[in-house]
Amino acid sequence: MIKLANPIFYPLSVLVGGVVLVVGVRFARVPNVVILPTAALVVTVGAAFLKSKEPNEKKLAKQELQKEVKMLYNAAKNLADKSINLRQEAKHLLTDDSLQIELLAIVEEACDRATELPQKIDQLSRRVQGDNSLLSPTELQQQLLEVQKKLGASSGVARQHFEQLANSLKRNIELAKAGEDTRQAQLVNIYTLIQETGGILQSLQNKLRTSDLSKFEEINELRTLSTELNSYQENMEILVVQ
């Protein structure tokens, strides 16, 4: 069904209506009682037709959301590929003693989570692109509570980033209460976490290659990075799964 539109915003329809009026009056000698309503109808229908061909705000928002989801999936796939490489490398290097085996278990847990991420993002994309998929303040509040639980057990750089995520969720809650669509903001949060996770993963891989694995201190530094990697994965899962 074509919706009516204000002809003022569609000068082409006004022009066509004016041409119809001039031709009708000057050349076809159509009576005013006939040509005036006809010209007005042409202007009105023309404006409505032109409006129907424009991408509306809802359609544009959906297209933008699709772009965000695609970018998010590609980032998750890239992270998963890097995680597979790290898992294989760690399995090859960490074989000597109980400390190394313990570290390997932590690394493998983080890498396994990362390799599952593209599938979870794919599931998320189907949810967020639905017509009734807006996140409610209650859902966002639940996510915030989960992040705050993790925040209490974190420290250092990880704690700083978790605080940033918590602040983002608080802003999204206020937006949701005001009736705003927070889906894109949520996707940005997830994308940021993926990028930060990728940075930690790269640091872990670099240190794994250069560390003296016979030294407790260096094993401990690797364990700290691995634990931090797991924390980021847990935060991502809060945003992706719920």
Side-chain angles (χ1 to χ4, degrees), residues 71-188:
M71 181 179 69
L72 193 62
Y73 179 84
N74 290 338
K77 183 68 170 60
N78 185 48
L79 181 65
D81 292 341
K82 289 181 178 179
S83 296
I84 292 171
N85 292 335
L86 175 60
R87 195 183 196 281
Q88 292 173 344
E89 198 166 340
K91 194 171 183 178
H92 175 70
L93 293 172
L94 301 172
T95 58
D96 286 348
D97 54 36
S98 59
L99 285 177
Q100 290 189 19
I101 297 300
E102 180 189 351
L103 174 59
L104 176 61
I106 299 173
V107 172
E108 287 184 329
E109 181 185 0
C111 290
D112 288 345
R113 280 178 162 173
T115 55
E116 294 169 359
L117 192 56
Q119 181 182 356
K120 291 176 180 177
I121 295 295
D122 190 47
Q123 294 169 352
L124 174 70
S125 71
R126 289 194 286 271
R127 293 204 308 274
V128 300
Q129 293 184 74
D131 292 331
N132 300 313
S133 60
L134 301 185
L135 290 170
S136 69
T138 303
E139 290 171 319
L140 292 168
Q141 186 66 44
Q142 183 60 41
Q143 292 180 351
L144 177 59
L145 288 174
E146 292 294 328
V147 170
Q148 287 174 333
K149 287 179 185 177
K150 306 293 182 186
L151 183 60
S154 64
S155 60
V157 177
R159 181 179 179 83
Q160 183 181 6
H161 287 138
F162 294 157
E163 286 175 346
Q164 291 173 357
L165 178 58
N167 290 334
S168 294
L169 285 168
K170 288 175 184 176
R171 286 194 296 271
N172 289 350
I173 288 169
E174 293 304 313
L175 288 171
K177 285 179 178 177
E180 297 291 333
D181 186 346
T182 61
R183 287 177 294 182
Q184 278 187 281
Q186 285 291 86
L187 293 179
V188 169

Side-chain angles (χ1 to χ4, degrees), residues 216-241:
F216 173 79
E217 294 80 5
E218 301 207 18
I219 287 287
N220 200 43
E221 288 179 13
L222 286 165
R223 183 189 291 109
T224 300
L225 277 173
S226 300
T227 303
E228 189 176 349
L229 187 61
N230 260 309
S231 295
Y232 273 95
Q233 298 281 27
E234 289 172 8
N235 276 269
M236 264 192 290
E237 287 175 2
I238 291 170
L239 297 181
V240 171
V241 175

Side-chain angles (χ1 to χ4, degrees), residues 14-30:
V14 176
L15 176 62
V16 173
V19 171
V20 169
L21 181 61
V22 171
V23 171
V25 171
R26 296 190 61 181
F27 299 103
R29 305 294 182 182
V30 178

Side-chain angles (χ1 to χ4, degrees), residues 1-7 10 43-53 56 58:
M1 180 179 179
I2 297 179
K3 296 182 179 180
L4 294 179
N6 190 338
Y10 300 93
V43 171
T44 302
V45 172
F49 176 77
L50 290 173
K51 182 179 180 180
S52 70
K53 295 300 181 182
N56 57 36
K58 187 175 181 181

